[in-house]
Amino acid sequence: MAASSATAFMINGFDPTTADRLTQDEQNLIARRRKLLGPSYKLFYEHPVHVVRAEGVWLYDPEGNAFLDVYNNVPSVGHCHPRVVDAIAKQSKVLNTHTRYLHEDILKYSEDLLATYPDEISNVMYTCTGSEAVDLALRIARYYTGGTGIIVTANAYHGLTTAVAEISPSMGPNVPIGQHVYVVEAPDDYRGNGEDIGEVFAQRVEDAIKKMTRHGIKFAAFIADGIFSTDGILTDPPGFLKKTADVVQAAGGLYIADEVQPGFGRTGTHWWGFQRHGIVPDLVVMGKPMGNGMPIAGVAAKPEVLESFGNDIRYFNTFGANTVSIAAAQAVLDVIKDEDLMANSVKIGDYMVDGMKKLQQKYEHVGDVRGAGLFLAMEFVTDRTSKKPDAKLSLNVVNGLREKRILISAASPSGNVLKIRPPLPFTAEHADVFLSGLDEVLAANS
Amino acid sequence: MAASSATAFMINGFDPTTADRLTQDEQNLIARRRKLLGPSYKLFYEHPVHVVRAEGVWLYDPEGNAFLDVYNNVPSVGHCHPRVVDAIAKQSKVLNTHTRYLHEDILKYSEDLLATYPDEISNVMYTCTGSEAVDLALRIARYYTGGTGIIVTANAYHGLTTAVAEISPSMGPNVPIGQHVYVVEAPDDYRGNGEDIGEVFAQRVEDAIKKMTRHGIKFAAFIADGIFSTDGILTDPPGFLKKTADVVQAAGGLYIADEVQPGFGRTGTHWWGFQRHGIVPDLVVMGKPMGNGMPIAGVAAKPEVLESFGNDIRYFNTFGANTVSIAAAQAVLDVIKDEDLMANSVKIGDYMVDGMKKLQQKYEHVGDVRGAGLFLAMEFVTDRTSKKPDAKLSLNVVNGLREKRILISAASPSGNVLKIRPPLPFTAEHADVFLSGLDEVLAANS
């Protein structure tokens, strides 16, 4: 099995080693998946979860057992939020069409969405998925700059199209990194030995620009998920990306903020992850939580960056921003505001960090606890001096929590970092369930 | 304005030449679109249409005026079909999640979907859009064959990702055709001078394979929309692609059938356009009508073609085949069968061809009438001897019909072919409205 964190907790079809704990029903479903969907379709956990309904932060299996969702960021305002469900049902009955006819709702939504952005970013284009949005951002950046060179971090994941997979080194050796793609080490403050990680990381990016220029490749863009989700959730200190943005923009490249992970208020203090760093990107990619599960994503942009692309190149996304997707997205935006979910993200995020730091004092393999709002990480190491990643413990914790019906996953190149990313209406009571489950599983693995 | 058919009937933001017939409301919407969405967002027609609701084959503007939809193939079973709407509303309330948990519905749907395919094609993977599906098919084909060379027709359009745009020559000069992409002249039987177009086209493809091989490029795949939608809707004679498929597969390449346009029963006689040609592709791309507007698309495949890709490369599409999309897709498939929409497509398609052929006798600029099921074409020429495309007449007819509240568009490199593609529950009465409107507009332009 590949070392990639994203495959570490999946089985590929039917795995005989887990057969003893699979029900007949689960075995049948797994066999049909393998037969119909082929080998690409992986499942979470050594013992996969069969879900039939969900509500708020809970998923339910056919027997009615409740699983606490501490992982899914797509149903960001809560599974099956009634306002989102109603918006979808209502609009589906009335009209579901594309953007080549005039319609009010896309404009009202765009106004509300762009109001969450700095003034410089005043245009938005819509796609259906984050991958399509990253792909579009790359097309725009390359057309605008006339360059092709892209800089990414060492275990970045930005999506699944041909062009986006090749800027996603976490895909592993079977998906070659593009020849115009330069990879820099991720900004790991935990292993930074007290250096200014902002300075260090900016220097890495500057070196990469020089290197590609020397190879005759014109620099087009730097792209990062501002929370470095697949690189291990590298959140600290806020502001450390400012110097990098300066370096990128001074070199004539575009700064593309991939907000698929941190966006839509997850970090609590800001709508967008880049705001934690005090920067203004040229292009911003949005995705997952945008429609609470409805496939809608997009690119927000400085208008001058879009102008030539939009004038010269036809771009029409058939389902992108259709009237039903927009209705869902509007409901999500409204709920984030009306239910004060960003304040909740700060409050419960801090509460969870406190709880996790107590566990850190208790368990020596917990090397670090960090995060921003409700995007949190617990990093396991073999010992605190070498800080060597302990991926086995991480795997055991993820699968151990699943047995307690608490769902999370892991990240980082080796998979040694717990990826804790619940729906935003998470409460202190939910956090307590998670923290005590984590305590028990860590105790069992000590 | 570019000669591309797909831009020919759009305005870019506010166009002063049409201001006199735009209402204040329309002018405001257009100005807000331009300000918020940038220059990429084009509108259909010289006088854009503002729609607020839809039902069956009708779209309605804010004043309650009904527009007959003879163009939109996404709402294939009819706008806001109650069974699709109910399926979406019901599933949205219960669960909307991804494919990394076990769920019954994706398996039931996959079984039903694959039952419409030849036995050899027994796997399916899901995406959100046809572009993502084509991009995935290219990735699979290139990984499976170890080649990179792709063959497409001269005015093909397959989608909007970086990799797919470069196999879409219809995008025009600002989107370079990829260096590993070879372009062949489309199989235009109307201009074929009585030659066997199947023979001629297969030879073109064979020559392209030879040429790329000579350039050191290994052949990966031939891809075509089996109805050659953007090349001018080249439907005849059925079976003409068989020789091409033989040539492609004998050369070790994969035949990718892009069924985004002809698929899901539109041609009437078959579920899939490739079946009209008696071939079994290696990969099949599905899209637009699959969820009647819900963003769902996919790739059906011979399992041996998927095997190595699926085992070696992680592919997870967050929203692809989520439980709500699957519910919509299941309803669409059921409705096509239960309402006998394929039989209707044959019946009404034939009826419309008869009516259009009568118009051809009456108007000398109508060079050809052709089609398959409810995907029909009327080709305009300056005269029947030279067969020179008459794009101006086509443009006038499209805009003239819009003034009569009948919505169609045009295709072909110059845009001289009417693209007639109504939702499948089109009746003879609807056809009569279209035919008499067309008669009047042709008379006015004669």
Side-chain angles (χ1 to χ4, degrees):
Chain A
M1 184 170 282
S4 161
S5 64
T7 57
F9 311 107
M10 297 162 213
I11 63 164
N12 174 8
F14 179 70
D15 177 351
T17 64
T18 60
D20 56 337
R21 58 177 136 178
L22 293 177
T23 65
Q24 191 59 49
D25 169 61
E26 287 164 350
Q27 288 184 42
N28 291 344
L29 288 171
I30 290 170
R32 283 167 72 201
R33 276 173 67 99
R34 184 62 180 82
K35 180 171 177 286
L36 295 161
L37 309 179
S40 280
Y41 279 72
K42 321 293 187 194
L43 289 159
F44 279 140
Y45 309 115
E46 285 171 8
H47 182 180
V49 181
H50 179 182
V51 293
V52 295
R53 74 179 181 90
E55 195 179 342
V57 301
W58 299 97
L59 290 155
Y60 297 88
D61 73 10
E63 285 73 42
N65 296 308
F67 290 73
L68 181 64
D69 191 347
V70 197
Y71 178 69
N72 285 297
N73 60 340
V74 169
S76 186
V77 299
H79 289 274
C80 303
H81 192 291
R83 283 178 68 181
V84 181
V85 168
D86 288 353
I88 292 168
K90 200 175 153 196
Q91 187 59 47
S92 293
K93 265 185 214 172
V94 173
L95 177 70
N96 190 10
T97 194
H98 54 75
T99 58
R100 278 173 170 174
Y101 304 122
L102 293 169
H103 199 271
E104 163 69 22
D105 295 359
I106 186 176
L107 304 175
K108 152 81 171 133
Y109 175 69
S110 300
E111 283 158 357
D112 289 355
L113 177 66
L114 289 168
T116 67
Y117 274 94
D119 289 348
E120 295 91 327
I121 296 173
S122 59
N123 273 179
V124 57
M125 291 178 68
Y126 296 100
T127 65
C128 294
T129 69
S131 291
E132 282 190 337
V134 174
D135 198 297
L136 172 59
L138 292 178
R139 291 185 68 191
I140 294 168
R142 284 169 165 159
Y143 197 74
Y144 177 76
T145 61
T148 55
I150 307 289
I151 297 174
V152 297
T153 51
N155 201 52
Y157 177 75
H158 293 291
L160 48 69
T161 67
T162 305
V164 178
E166 72 163 33
I167 65 160
S168 298
S170 68
M171 295 301 295
N174 292 320
V175 180
I177 297 165
Q179 292 173 5
H180 291 215
V181 181
Y182 283 68
V183 173
V184 294
E185 196 184 328
D188 185 349
D189 192 49
Y190 171 55
R191 290 181 180 77
N193 300 317
E195 289 175 309
D196 178 340
I197 195 68
E199 195 74 59
V200 169
F201 189 64
Q203 189 60 53
R204 287 177 197 156
V205 171
E206 190 160 9
D207 290 347
I209 296 169
K210 278 181 190 157
K211 199 171 161 188
M212 73 169 70
T213 305
R214 183 69 188 90
H215 281 271
I217 294 169
K218 186 171 178 192
F219 179 40
F222 167 86
I223 179 168
D225 145 18
I227 208 149
F228 298 90
S229 168
T230 51
D231 281 294
I233 309 166
L234 309 172
T235 48
D236 301 305
F240 80 77
L241 282 169
K242 181 72 180 77
K243 276 177 190 142
T244 297
D246 290 344
V247 163
V248 166
Q249 290 168 334
L254 298 189
Y255 189 105
I256 305 175
D258 183 343
E259 292 286 342
V260 169
Q261 297 290 343
F264 289 100
R266 176 159 291 277
T267 65
T269 51
H270 299 87
W271 273 97
W272 309 106
F274 66 78
Q275 292 172 311
R276 287 184 67 241
H277 290 280
I279 61 185
V280 180
D282 301 290
L283 292 163
V284 182
V285 174
M286 297 163 283
K288 297 192 196 294
M290 195 166 179
N292 217 48
M294 181 62 56
I296 179 164
V299 176
K302 292 180 178 168
E304 61 270 26
V305 171
L306 278 193
E307 196 63 21
S308 59
F309 181 86
N311 285 324
D312 298 349
I313 293 175
R314 180 161 49 97
Y315 185 94
F316 171 64
N317 193 307
T318 302
F319 303 136
N322 70 29
T323 42
V324 172
S325 299
I326 286 290
Q330 182 74 57
V332 169
L333 204 63
D334 293 345
V335 168
I336 293 172
K337 294 176 194 168
D338 296 349
E339 298 187 4
D340 238 345
L341 291 179
M342 287 168 62
N344 189 65
S345 192
V346 171
K347 188 176 114 192
I348 305 303
D350 287 349
Y351 180 81
M352 289 173 78
V353 166
D354 285 348
M356 288 157 68
K357 288 205 163 160
K358 281 181 195 133
L359 296 178
Q360 185 182 16
Q361 288 165 5
K362 198 166 161 188
Y363 300 102
E364 59 175 287
H365 292 292
V366 178
D368 196 27
V369 167
R370 56 184 179 259
L374 282 173
F375 207 133
L376 303 168
M378 175 177 273
E379 171 151 8
F380 297 115
V381 292
T382 56
D383 64 275
R384 293 184 182 182
T385 311
S386 77
K387 298 181 180 173
K388 201 183 149 207
D390 189 344
K392 188 164 174 292
L393 177 56
S394 178
L395 186 70
N396 288 341
V397 169
V398 168
N399 282 297
L401 283 170
R402 180 259 174 261
E403 293 306 315
K404 294 183 179 297
R405 301 194 185 115
I406 295 169
L407 304 179
I408 59 163
S409 187
S412 96
S414 68
N416 73 316
V417 178
L418 295 189
K419 191 167 160 188
I420 300 157
R421 203 182 49 177
L424 300 184
F426 214 64
T427 65
E429 291 69 38
H430 301 137
D432 287 339
V433 172
F434 167 68
L435 291 167
S436 65
L438 183 56
D439 193 359
E440 288 166 28
V441 172
L442 285 170
N445 281 278
S446 286
Chain B
M1 185 171 281
S4 161
S5 63
T7 57
F9 311 107
M10 297 162 216
I11 62 163
N12 175 8
F14 179 70
D15 178 351
T17 64
T18 61
D20 57 336
R21 56 177 138 178
L22 294 176
T23 65
Q24 191 60 47
D25 169 63
E26 288 163 350
Q27 289 184 41
N28 291 344
L29 289 171
I30 290 169
R32 282 168 72 202
R33 277 173 65 99
R34 184 64 180 82
K35 179 172 177 286
L36 294 161
L37 309 179
S40 281
Y41 281 71
K42 319 292 186 193
L43 289 161
F44 278 139
Y45 309 115
E46 286 172 6
H47 182 181
V49 181
H50 179 182
V51 294
V52 295
R53 71 179 182 92
E55 194 179 345
V57 301
W58 299 96
L59 291 154
Y60 298 88
D61 73 10
E63 285 74 43
N65 296 309
F67 290 73
L68 181 64
D69 190 348
V70 198
Y71 177 69
N72 285 296
N73 59 342
V74 170
S76 186
V77 299
H79 288 274
C80 303
H81 192 290
R83 284 179 66 182
V84 182
V85 167
D86 287 353
I88 293 168
K90 200 173 152 198
Q91 187 59 46
S92 292
K93 264 185 213 172
V94 173
L95 177 71
N96 191 10
T97 193
H98 54 76
T99 58
R100 281 176 168 171
Y101 303 122
L102 292 168
H103 200 272
E104 164 67 24
D105 295 357
I106 185 176
L107 303 175
K108 153 79 171 136
Y109 175 69
S110 299
E111 282 159 358
D112 289 355
L113 177 67
L114 290 167
T116 67
Y117 274 95
D119 290 346
E120 296 92 327
I121 296 173
S122 59
N123 275 178
V124 57
M125 291 178 68
Y126 297 100
T127 65
C128 294
T129 69
S131 292
E132 281 191 337
V134 174
D135 197 296
L136 173 59
L138 293 178
R139 290 186 67 190
I140 294 168
R142 284 170 165 160
Y143 198 74
Y144 178 76
T145 62
T148 55
I150 307 288
I151 297 174
V152 296
T153 50
N155 202 51
Y157 178 74
H158 292 291
L160 48 70
T161 67
T162 304
V164 178
E166 72 163 35
I167 67 161
S168 297
S170 67
M171 295 301 297
N174 292 320
V175 180
I177 297 166
Q179 292 174 5
H180 291 215
V181 180
Y182 283 68
V183 173
V184 294
E185 197 183 329
D188 184 350
D189 193 49
Y190 171 56
R191 289 180 180 79
N193 300 317
E195 291 175 308
D196 179 339
I197 195 68
E199 196 75 60
V200 169
F201 189 64
Q203 189 60 55
R204 287 176 198 159
V205 171
E206 191 161 8
D207 291 347
I209 296 169
K210 279 182 191 156
K211 198 171 162 190
M212 73 169 71
T213 305
R214 183 70 187 91
H215 281 271
I217 293 170
K218 185 169 178 192
F219 179 40
F222 167 85
I223 179 168
D225 146 19
I227 208 147
F228 298 90
S229 167
T230 49
D231 282 295
I233 309 167
L234 309 172
T235 49
D236 301 306
F240 80 76
L241 282 170
K242 180 73 180 75
K243 276 177 188 140
T244 297
D246 291 344
V247 163
V248 166
Q249 290 168 334
L254 299 189
Y255 188 106
I256 306 175
D258 183 343
E259 291 285 344
V260 169
Q261 296 291 341
F264 289 98
R266 175 158 292 277
T267 66
T269 52
H270 299 85
W271 274 96
W272 308 105
F274 65 79
Q275 293 172 312
R276 287 184 67 241
H277 289 282
I279 61 184
V280 180
D282 301 290
L283 292 164
V284 182
V285 173
M286 298 165 280
K288 295 193 196 296
M290 194 165 179
N292 216 49
M294 181 61 58
I296 180 166
V299 177
K302 294 180 179 168
E304 61 270 27
V305 171
L306 278 192
E307 196 63 20
S308 59
F309 181 85
N311 285 324
D312 299 349
I313 292 175
R314 179 158 52 93
Y315 185 94
F316 171 62
N317 193 308
T318 302
F319 303 136
N322 70 29
T323 42
V324 172
S325 299
I326 286 290
Q330 182 73 56
V332 169
L333 204 64
D334 293 345
V335 167
I336 293 172
K337 295 176 193 170
D338 296 349
E339 296 186 6
D340 240 345
L341 291 180
M342 288 168 61
N344 189 65
S345 191
V346 171
K347 189 176 114 193
I348 305 303
D350 287 350
Y351 180 80
M352 286 173 78
V353 166
D354 286 350
M356 286 158 68
K357 287 203 163 160
K358 282 182 195 131
L359 297 178
Q360 183 182 17
Q361 287 164 8
K362 199 165 159 187
Y363 300 101
E364 60 174 287
H365 292 291
V366 178
D368 196 28
V369 167
R370 56 183 179 262
L374 282 173
F375 206 134
L376 304 167
M378 174 175 274
E379 172 151 7
F380 297 115
V381 292
T382 55
D383 64 276
R384 292 183 183 183
T385 310
S386 77
K387 298 180 181 173
K388 203 183 148 208
D390 189 343
K392 187 164 175 291
L393 177 54
S394 178
L395 186 70
N396 289 341
V397 170
V398 169
N399 283 299
L401 283 170
R402 180 261 174 260
E403 293 306 316
K404 295 184 179 293
R405 302 195 184 114
I406 296 169
L407 304 180
I408 59 163
S409 186
S412 97
S414 68
N416 73 317
V417 179
L418 296 188
K419 190 166 161 190
I420 300 156
R421 204 181 49 173
L424 300 184
F426 215 64
T427 65
E429 290 70 35
H430 301 135
D432 287 340
V433 173
F434 166 68
L435 290 165
S436 66
L438 183 56
D439 192 359
E440 288 167 27
V441 172
L442 285 169
N445 281 278
S446 285

